[in-house]
PDB file of all heavy atoms in Angstrom:
ATOM      1  N   GLN B  29      19.425-147.621 -22.988  1.00 58.00           N
ATOM      2  CA  GLN B  29      19.710-146.317 -22.403  1.00 58.00           C
ATOM      3  C   GLN B  29      20.030-145.341 -23.512  1.00 58.00           C
ATOM      4  O   GLN B  29      20.617-145.692 -24.522  1.00 58.00           O
ATOM      5  CB  GLN B  29      20.906-146.385 -21.454  1.00 58.00           C
ATOM      6  CG  GLN B  29      20.647-147.197 -20.227  1.00 58.00           C
ATOM      7  CD  GLN B  29      21.819-147.151 -19.277  1.00 58.00           C
ATOM      8  OE1 GLN B  29      22.963-147.291 -19.675  1.00 58.00           O
ATOM      9  NE2 GLN B  29      21.534-146.956 -18.012  1.00 58.00           N
ATOM     10  N   ASN B  30      19.672-144.100 -23.292  1.00 56.00           N
ATOM     11  CA  ASN B  30      19.982-143.033 -24.232  1.00 56.00           C
ATOM     12  C   ASN B  30      20.326-141.802 -23.420  1.00 56.00           C
ATOM     13  O   ASN B  30      19.526-141.348 -22.618  1.00 56.00           O
ATOM     14  CB  ASN B  30      18.778-142.758 -25.143  1.00 56.00           C
ATOM     15  CG  ASN B  30      19.065-141.699 -26.180  1.00 56.00           C
ATOM     16  OD1 ASN B  30      20.197-141.279 -26.348  1.00 56.00           O
ATOM     17  ND2 ASN B  30      18.026-141.274 -26.869  1.00 56.00           N
ATOM     18  N   GLN B  31      21.506-141.285 -23.640  1.00 50.00           N
ATOM     19  CA  GLN B  31      21.935-140.098 -22.916  1.00 50.00           C
ATOM     20  C   GLN B  31      22.388-139.071 -23.931  1.00 50.00           C
ATOM     21  O   GLN B  31      23.168-139.369 -24.828  1.00 50.00           O
ATOM     22  CB  GLN B  31      23.080-140.423 -21.962  1.00 50.00           C
ATOM     23  CG  GLN B  31      23.568-139.227 -21.187  1.00 50.00           C
ATOM     24  CD  GLN B  31      24.643-139.607 -20.170  1.00 50.00           C
ATOM     25  OE1 GLN B  31      25.056-140.751 -20.081  1.00 50.00           O
ATOM     26  NE2 GLN B  31      25.091-138.645 -19.409  1.00 50.00           N
ATOM     27  N   GLN B  32      21.906-137.842 -23.789  1.00 47.00           N
ATOM     28  CA  GLN B  32      22.304-136.771 -24.680  1.00 47.00           C
ATOM     29  C   GLN B  32      22.758-135.601 -23.830  1.00 47.00           C
ATOM     30  O   GLN B  32      22.041-135.148 -22.945  1.00 47.00           O
ATOM     31  CB  GLN B  32      21.131-136.348 -25.563  1.00 47.00           C
ATOM     32  CG  GLN B  32      21.495-135.266 -26.535  1.00 47.00           C
ATOM     33  CD  GLN B  32      20.334-134.950 -27.476  1.00 47.00           C
ATOM     34  OE1 GLN B  32      19.305-135.606 -27.463  1.00 47.00           O
ATOM     35  NE2 GLN B  32      20.510-133.934 -28.277  1.00 47.00           N
ATOM     36  N   ILE B  33      23.944-135.144 -24.111  1.00 46.00           N
ATOM     37  CA  ILE B  33      24.492-134.004 -23.390  1.00 46.00           C
ATOM     38  C   ILE B  33      24.780-132.923 -24.419  1.00 46.00           C
ATOM     39  O   ILE B  33      25.589-133.119 -25.324  1.00 46.00           O
ATOM     40  CB  ILE B  33      25.772-134.370 -22.628  1.00 46.00           C
ATOM     41  CG1 ILE B  33      25.464-135.469 -21.615  1.00 46.00           C
ATOM     42  CG2 ILE B  33      26.366-133.143 -21.949  1.00 46.00           C
ATOM     43  CD1 ILE B  33      26.681-136.043 -20.931  1.00 46.00           C
ATOM     44  N   ASN B  34      24.110-131.806 -24.319  1.00 46.00           N
ATOM     45  CA  ASN B  34      24.296-130.707 -25.259  1.00 46.00           C
ATOM     46  C   ASN B  34      25.153-129.630 -24.610  1.00 46.00           C
ATOM     47  O   ASN B  34      24.669-128.581 -24.226  1.00 46.00           O
ATOM     48  CB  ASN B  34      22.951-130.132 -25.692  1.00 46.00           C
ATOM     49  CG  ASN B  34      22.165-131.126 -26.494  1.00 46.00           C
ATOM     50  OD1 ASN B  34      22.738-131.862 -27.293  1.00 46.00           O
ATOM     51  ND2 ASN B  34      20.869-131.169 -26.295  1.00 46.00           N
ATOM     52  N   ALA B  35      26.411-129.906 -24.510  1.00 46.00           N
ATOM     53  CA  ALA B  35      27.329-128.970 -23.875  1.00 46.00           C
ATOM     54  C   ALA B  35      28.278-128.372 -24.899  1.00 46.00           C
ATOM     55  O   ALA B  35      29.400-128.023 -24.592  1.00 46.00           O
ATOM     56  CB  ALA B  35      28.109-129.670 -22.781  1.00 46.00           C
ATOM     57  N   GLY B  36      27.838-128.239 -26.145  1.00 52.00           N
ATOM     58  CA  GLY B  36      28.700-127.707 -27.182  1.00 52.00           C
ATOM     59  C   GLY B  36      29.432-128.815 -27.904  1.00 52.00           C
ATOM     60  O   GLY B  36      29.169-129.994 -27.695  1.00 52.00           O
ATOM     61  N   PRO B  37      30.342-128.428 -28.781  1.00 60.00           N
ATOM     62  CA  PRO B  37      31.043-129.445 -29.561  1.00 60.00           C
ATOM     63  C   PRO B  37      31.962-130.284 -28.684  1.00 60.00           C
ATOM     64  O   PRO B  37      32.383-129.853 -27.622  1.00 60.00           O
ATOM     65  CB  PRO B  37      31.842-128.634 -30.578  1.00 60.00           C
ATOM     66  CG  PRO B  37      32.039-127.303 -29.929  1.00 60.00           C
ATOM     67  CD  PRO B  37      30.810-127.076 -29.089  1.00 60.00           C
ATOM     68  N   ALA B  38      32.274-131.472 -29.160  1.00 62.00           N
ATOM     69  CA  ALA B  38      33.222-132.326 -28.452  1.00 62.00           C
ATOM     70  C   ALA B  38      34.545-131.583 -28.325  1.00 62.00           C
ATOM     71  O   ALA B  38      34.878-130.745 -29.167  1.00 62.00           O
ATOM     72  CB  ALA B  38      33.405-133.626 -29.226  1.00 62.00           C
ATOM     73  N   PRO B  39      35.305-131.882 -27.267  1.00 67.00           N
ATOM     74  CA  PRO B  39      36.574-131.161 -27.065  1.00 67.00           C
ATOM     75  C   PRO B  39      37.490-131.210 -28.282  1.00 67.00           C
ATOM     76  O   PRO B  39      38.124-130.208 -28.614  1.00 67.00           O
ATOM     77  CB  PRO B  39      37.198-131.874 -25.868  1.00 67.00           C
ATOM     78  CG  PRO B  39      36.054-132.489 -25.153  1.00 67.00           C
ATOM     79  CD  PRO B  39      35.030-132.821 -26.200  1.00 67.00           C
ATOM     80  N   ASP B  40      37.539-132.335 -28.968  1.00 91.00           N
ATOM     81  CA  ASP B  40      38.401-132.426 -30.141  1.00 91.00           C
ATOM     82  C   ASP B  40      37.940-131.496 -31.244  1.00 91.00           C
ATOM     83  O   ASP B  40      38.744-130.872 -31.922  1.00 91.00           O
ATOM     84  CB  ASP B  40      38.448-133.862 -30.666  1.00 91.00           C
ATOM     85  CG  ASP B  40      39.130-134.824 -29.705  1.00 91.00           C
ATOM     86  OD1 ASP B  40      39.822-134.346 -28.770  1.00 91.00           O
ATOM     87  OD2 ASP B  40      38.979-136.027 -29.885  1.00 91.00           O
ATOM     88  N   VAL B  41      36.619-131.402 -31.445  1.00 90.00           N
ATOM     89  CA  VAL B  41      36.074-130.514 -32.469  1.00 90.00           C
ATOM     90  C   VAL B  41      36.316-129.062 -32.075  1.00 90.00           C
ATOM     91  O   VAL B  41      36.716-128.241 -32.906  1.00 90.00           O
ATOM     92  CB  VAL B  41      34.578-130.788 -32.712  1.00 90.00           C
ATOM     93  CG1 VAL B  41      33.976-129.771 -33.668  1.00 90.00           C
ATOM     94  CG2 VAL B  41      34.373-132.207 -33.236  1.00 90.00           C
ATOM     95  N   ALA B  42      36.095-128.728 -30.814  1.00 91.00           N
ATOM     96  CA  ALA B  42      36.329-127.362 -30.347  1.00 91.00           C
ATOM     97  C   ALA B  42      37.797-126.973 -30.537  1.00 91.00           C
ATOM     98  O   ALA B  42      38.103-125.847 -30.954  1.00 91.00           O
ATOM     99  CB  ALA B  42      35.927-127.224 -28.880  1.00 91.00           C
ATOM    100  N   GLU B  43      38.688-127.902 -30.260  1.00 94.00           N
ATOM    101  CA  GLU B  43      40.119-127.649 -30.440  1.00 94.00           C
ATOM    102  C   GLU B  43      40.458-127.448 -31.918  1.00 94.00           C
ATOM    103  O   GLU B  43      41.220-126.547 -32.272  1.00 94.00           O
ATOM    104  CB  GLU B  43      40.917-128.817 -29.867  1.00 94.00           C
ATOM    105  CG  GLU B  43      42.419-128.617 -29.899  1.00 94.00           C
ATOM    106  CD  GLU B  43      43.142-129.798 -29.276  1.00 94.00           C
ATOM    107  OE1 GLU B  43      42.745-130.224 -28.182  1.00 94.00           O
ATOM    108  OE2 GLU B  43      44.110-130.274 -29.887  1.00 94.00           O
ATOM    109  N   ALA B  44      39.878-128.259 -32.782  1.00 95.00           N
ATOM    110  CA  ALA B  44      40.125-128.134 -34.219  1.00 95.00           C
ATOM    111  C   ALA B  44      39.577-126.816 -34.746  1.00 95.00           C
ATOM    112  O   ALA B  44      40.211-126.156 -35.583  1.00 95.00           O
ATOM    113  CB  ALA B  44      39.517-129.316 -34.971  1.00 95.00           C
ATOM    114  N   LEU B  45      38.402-126.403 -34.266  1.00 96.00           N
ATOM    115  CA  LEU B  45      37.837-125.110 -34.653  1.00 96.00           C
ATOM    116  C   LEU B  45      38.754-123.970 -34.223  1.00 96.00           C
ATOM    117  O   LEU B  45      39.023-123.049 -34.993  1.00 96.00           O
ATOM    118  CB  LEU B  45      36.451-124.927 -34.026  1.00 96.00           C
ATOM    119  CG  LEU B  45      35.304-125.706 -34.640  1.00 96.00           C
ATOM    120  CD1 LEU B  45      34.114-125.767 -33.685  1.00 96.00           C
ATOM    121  CD2 LEU B  45      34.899-125.093 -35.972  1.00 96.00           C
ATOM    122  N   ALA B  46      39.232-124.034 -32.993  1.00 96.00           N
ATOM    123  CA  ALA B  46      40.125-122.997 -32.479  1.00 96.00           C
ATOM    124  C   ALA B  46      41.422-122.947 -33.276  1.00 96.00           C
ATOM    125  O   ALA B  46      41.955-121.863 -33.552  1.00 96.00           O
ATOM    126  CB  ALA B  46      40.416-123.227 -30.999  1.00 96.00           C
ATOM    127  N   ASN B  47      41.929-124.100 -33.673  1.00 96.00           N
ATOM    128  CA  ASN B  47      43.157-124.154 -34.458  1.00 96.00           C
ATOM    129  C   ASN B  47      42.966-123.478 -35.814  1.00 96.00           C
ATOM    130  O   ASN B  47      43.799-122.665 -36.243  1.00 96.00           O
ATOM    131  CB  ASN B  47      43.608-125.607 -34.642  1.00 96.00           C
ATOM    132  CG  ASN B  47      44.944-125.707 -35.334  1.00 96.00           C
ATOM    133  OD1 ASN B  47      45.890-124.987 -35.020  1.00 96.00           O
ATOM    134  ND2 ASN B  47      45.037-126.606 -36.299  1.00 96.00           N
ATOM    135  N   VAL B  48      41.868-123.788 -36.494  1.00 97.00           N
ATOM    136  CA  VAL B  48      41.590-123.157 -37.790  1.00 97.00           C
ATOM    137  C   VAL B  48      41.432-121.654 -37.604  1.00 97.00           C
ATOM    138  O   VAL B  48      41.959-120.861 -38.395  1.00 97.00           O
ATOM    139  CB  VAL B  48      40.347-123.769 -38.465  1.00 97.00           C
ATOM    140  CG1 VAL B  48      39.961-122.986 -39.710  1.00 97.00           C
ATOM    141  CG2 VAL B  48      40.590-125.238 -38.818  1.00 97.00           C
ATOM    142  N   GLU B  49      40.739-121.250 -36.560  1.00 97.00           N
ATOM    143  CA  GLU B  49      40.541-119.825 -36.301  1.00 97.00           C
ATOM    144  C   GLU B  49      41.880-119.102 -36.093  1.00 97.00           C
ATOM    145  O   GLU B  49      42.118-118.032 -36.658  1.00 97.00           O
ATOM    146  CB  GLU B  49      39.643-119.635 -35.081  1.00 97.00           C
ATOM    147  CG  GLU B  49      39.274-118.182 -34.827  1.00 97.00           C
ATOM    148  CD  GLU B  49      38.241-118.059 -33.733  1.00 97.00           C
ATOM    149  OE1 GLU B  49      38.274-118.862 -32.764  1.00 97.00           O
ATOM    150  OE2 GLU B  49      37.394-117.169 -33.846  1.00 97.00           O
ATOM    151  N   ARG B  50      42.772-119.700 -35.300  1.00 97.00           N
ATOM    152  CA  ARG B  50      44.102-119.097 -35.073  1.00 97.00           C
ATOM    153  C   ARG B  50      44.869-118.972 -36.387  1.00 97.00           C
ATOM    154  O   ARG B  50      45.482-117.939 -36.669  1.00 97.00           O
ATOM    155  CB  ARG B  50      44.914-119.952 -34.102  1.00 97.00           C
ATOM    156  CG  ARG B  50      44.586-119.762 -32.637  1.00 97.00           C
ATOM    157  CD  ARG B  50      45.596-120.464 -31.728  1.00 97.00           C
ATOM    158  NE  ARG B  50      45.697-121.894 -31.976  1.00 97.00           N
ATOM    159  CZ  ARG B  50      44.938-122.822 -31.410  1.00 97.00           C
ATOM    160  NH1 ARG B  50      43.991-122.471 -30.567  1.00 97.00           N
ATOM    161  NH2 ARG B  50      45.104-124.099 -31.686  1.00 97.00           N
ATOM    162  N   LEU B  51      44.829-120.036 -37.181  1.00 96.00           N
ATOM    163  CA  LEU B  51      45.559-120.026 -38.446  1.00 96.00           C
ATOM    164  C   LEU B  51      44.956-119.049 -39.446  1.00 96.00           C
ATOM    165  O   LEU B  51      45.691-118.418 -40.216  1.00 96.00           O
ATOM    166  CB  LEU B  51      45.617-121.437 -39.031  1.00 96.00           C
ATOM    167  CG  LEU B  51      46.496-122.409 -38.250  1.00 96.00           C
ATOM    168  CD1 LEU B  51      46.291-123.838 -38.740  1.00 96.00           C
ATOM    169  CD2 LEU B  51      47.965-122.012 -38.355  1.00 96.00           C
ATOM    170  N   LEU B  52      43.629-118.905 -39.437  1.00 97.00           N
ATOM    171  CA  LEU B  52      42.995-117.906 -40.309  1.00 97.00           C
ATOM    172  C   LEU B  52      43.493-116.511 -39.977  1.00 97.00           C
ATOM    173  O   LEU B  52      43.787-115.716 -40.880  1.00 97.00           O
ATOM    174  CB  LEU B  52      41.471-117.941 -40.150  1.00 97.00           C
ATOM    175  CG  LEU B  52      40.688-118.887 -41.027  1.00 97.00           C
ATOM    176  CD1 LEU B  52      39.211-118.860 -40.659  1.00 97.00           C
ATOM    177  CD2 LEU B  52      40.877-118.571 -42.496  1.00 97.00           C
ATOM    178  N   GLU B  53      43.581-116.204 -38.709  1.00 97.00           N
ATOM    179  CA  GLU B  53      44.070-114.883 -38.307  1.00 97.00           C
ATOM    180  C   GLU B  53      45.539-114.702 -38.676  1.00 97.00           C
ATOM    181  O   GLU B  53      45.939-113.645 -39.158  1.00 97.00           O
ATOM    182  CB  GLU B  53      43.850-114.658 -36.810  1.00 97.00           C
ATOM    183  CG  GLU B  53      42.388-114.589 -36.422  1.00 97.00           C
ATOM    184  CD  GLU B  53      41.580-113.616 -37.280  1.00 97.00           C
ATOM    185  OE1 GLU B  53      42.023-112.473 -37.499  1.00 97.00           O
ATOM    186  OE2 GLU B  53      40.500-114.022 -37.759  1.00 97.00           O
ATOM    187  N   ALA B  54      46.323-115.729 -38.475  1.00 97.00           N
ATOM    188  CA  ALA B  54      47.763-115.638 -38.758  1.00 97.00           C
ATOM    189  C   ALA B  54      48.049-115.523 -40.249  1.00 97.00           C
ATOM    190  O   ALA B  54      49.061-114.913 -40.639  1.00 97.00           O
ATOM    191  CB  ALA B  54      48.484-116.862 -38.185  1.00 97.00           C
ATOM    192  N   HIS B  55      47.180-116.074 -41.097  1.00 97.00           N
ATOM    193  CA  HIS B  55      47.440-116.107 -42.537  1.00 97.00           C
ATOM    194  C   HIS B  55      46.417-115.316 -43.345  1.00 97.00           C
ATOM    195  O   HIS B  55      46.329-115.483 -44.568  1.00 97.00           O
ATOM    196  CB  HIS B  55      47.471-117.562 -43.019  1.00 97.00           C
ATOM    197  CG  HIS B  55      48.594-118.345 -42.428  1.00 97.00           C
ATOM    198  ND1 HIS B  55      49.871-118.314 -42.932  1.00 97.00           N
ATOM    199  CD2 HIS B  55      48.623-119.169 -41.352  1.00 97.00           C
ATOM    200  CE1 HIS B  55      50.641-119.096 -42.195  1.00 97.00           C
ATOM    201  NE2 HIS B  55      49.915-119.619 -41.228  1.00 97.00           N
ATOM    202  N   ALA B  56      45.667-114.437 -42.697  1.00 97.00           N
ATOM    203  CA  ALA B  56      44.609-113.684 -43.374  1.00 97.00           C
ATOM    204  C   ALA B  56      45.151-112.901 -44.577  1.00 97.00           C
ATOM    205  O   ALA B  56      44.489-112.828 -45.618  1.00 97.00           O
ATOM    206  CB  ALA B  56      43.920-112.742 -42.394  1.00 97.00           C
ATOM    207  N   ALA B  57      46.339-112.337 -44.459  1.00 97.00           N
ATOM    208  CA  ALA B  57      46.909-111.539 -45.547  1.00 97.00           C
ATOM    209  C   ALA B  57      47.202-112.377 -46.790  1.00 97.00           C
ATOM    210  O   ALA B  57      47.303-111.831 -47.891  1.00 97.00           O
ATOM    211  CB  ALA B  57      48.180-110.851 -45.069  1.00 97.00           C
ATOM    212  N   GLU B  58      47.309-113.684 -46.626  1.00 96.00           N
ATOM    213  CA  GLU B  58      47.607-114.567 -47.749  1.00 96.00           C
ATOM    214  C   GLU B  58      46.350-115.060 -48.464  1.00 96.00           C
ATOM    215  O   GLU B  58      46.447-115.740 -49.490  1.00 96.00           O
ATOM    216  CB  GLU B  58      48.413-115.778 -47.256  1.00 96.00           C
ATOM    217  CG  GLU B  58      49.735-115.396 -46.598  1.00 96.00           C
ATOM    218  CD  GLU B  58      50.363-116.577 -45.890  1.00 96.00           C
ATOM    219  OE1 GLU B  58      50.536-117.623 -46.553  1.00 96.00           O
ATOM    220  OE2 GLU B  58      50.653-116.461 -44.681  1.00 96.00           O
ATOM    221  N   LEU B  59      45.186-114.719 -47.937  1.00 96.00           N
ATOM    222  CA  LEU B  59      43.924-115.203 -48.497  1.00 96.00           C
ATOM    223  C   LEU B  59      43.244-114.108 -49.310  1.00 96.00           C
ATOM    224  O   LEU B  59      43.316-112.927 -48.969  1.00 96.00           O
ATOM    225  CB  LEU B  59      42.986-115.655 -47.371  1.00 96.00           C
ATOM    226  CG  LEU B  59      43.503-116.755 -46.459  1.00 96.00           C
ATOM    227  CD1 LEU B  59      42.513-116.992 -45.319  1.00 96.00           C
ATOM    228  CD2 LEU B  59      43.743-118.032 -47.245  1.00 96.00           C
TER     229      LEU B  59
END
Side-chain angles (χ1 to χ4, degrees):
Q29 293 184 315
N30 183 9
Q31 180 176 3
Q32 182 175 354
I33 300 172
N34 294 322
D40 293 345
V41 174
E43 185 178 313
L45 285 163
N47 186 45
V48 172
E49 186 172 35
R50 280 190 302 272
L51 291 169
L52 272 176
E53 294 310 313
H55 296 277
E58 301 169 54
L59 301 175

